[in-house]
Amino acid sequence: LHREILLNALKCKRDELDILDLKVINRAVDEFRYAAKVFKPYRNIRKVSIFGSARVPEGDPHYELAARFGRLMTEQGFMAITGAASGIMKAGIDGAGAENSFGVNILLPFESPATVMQDDPKLVTFRFFFTRKLFFVMEADACALFPGGFGTQDEGFEVLTLLQTGKAQPMPLVLMV
């Protein structure tokens, strides 16, 4: 596999790809490599990806439900994977505890960076949505979808599509309302 990875890199030269193509390929491979390194020590521990709105304030019933869900989930031996931002994502981490949580954050031009887990080695910051979503699904044994906006819907439909097409291992997808 190492040989094939190197051959694909050399084929980029042979194919005379544009500099933008090379930058995207390099960034995607680098993001994937780094995230795999972060998750690798925890592959034997079951995990649940928690999706939901970043705009739900503490004290909101959905926030409290997500925090309780995170706590109960860790009591059953699971770790949490969230986007490491505010709202439902923070609630999931609050409930599970930072020691039982992964943050898979995304760099966006008009959003704040990760609001929790800033110095945690289990925080991965992505530039590309597709690599981020891949780890949300690839590392999860289940997914929980809380109320949210377009991003939450996108993540939920991505999971459903991967499950329906057989591209993801069968897993529970829990819709929390």
Side-chain angles (χ1 to χ4, degrees):
L1 288 175
H2 291 104
R3 182 178 183 273
E4 288 181 32
I5 291 169
L6 290 171
L7 285 174
N8 276 315
L10 293 172
K11 287 177 185 177
C12 289
K13 174 70 173 159
R14 178 201 66 196
D15 296 344
E16 298 180 6
L17 297 179
D18 294 333
I19 192 75
L20 181 58
D21 296 326
L22 294 172
K23 285 182 177 182
V24 170
I25 291 167
N26 183 56
R27 171 60 72 180
V29 169
D30 187 51
E31 284 187 357
F32 197 98
R33 180 205 51 80
Y34 180 73
K37 179 181 117 177
V38 170
F39 276 95
K40 185 177 185 234
Y42 303 92
R43 291 255 163 88
N44 62 331
I45 302 171
R46 298 177 303 166
K47 296 169 214 61
V48 176
S49 288
I50 300 173
F51 304 117
S53 175
R55 289 161 183 79
V56 172
E58 289 188 40
D60 182 275
H62 290 113
Y63 187 100
E64 298 305 321
L65 179 63
R68 183 169 179 248
F69 179 83
R71 187 181 75 256
L72 292 171
M73 184 186 71
T74 57
E75 289 173 3
Q76 296 299 312
F78 287 86
M79 294 181 82
I81 305 171
T82 80
S86 56
I88 296 296
M89 295 172 275
K90 182 178 182 302
I93 293 170
D94 285 351
E99 67 279 4
N100 296 311
S101 300
F102 289 89
V104 289
N105 195 243
I106 185 83
L107 286 177
L108 295 173
F110 301 110
E111 296 284 339
S112 60
T115 57
V116 293
M117 300 182 68
Q118 280 112 351
D119 297 322
D120 193 307
K122 296 185 308 306
L123 172 66
V124 181
T125 301
F126 292 91
R127 290 185 188 268
F128 298 127
F129 279 104
F130 73 93
T131 49
R132 178 180 185 243
K133 288 193 293 187
L134 183 63
F135 275 87
F136 262 130
V137 177
M138 185 176 85
E139 293 293 337
D141 297 284
C143 294
L145 197 66
F146 285 80
F150 289 126
T152 302
Q153 291 179 42
D154 176 55
E155 291 158 345
F157 280 110
E158 181 80 15
V159 173
L160 286 170
T161 300
L162 293 171
L163 290 171
Q164 188 266 334
T165 58
K167 298 293 183 181
Q169 66 178 351
M171 71 175 81
L173 175 61
V174 182
L175 304 179
M176 306 294 285
V177 289

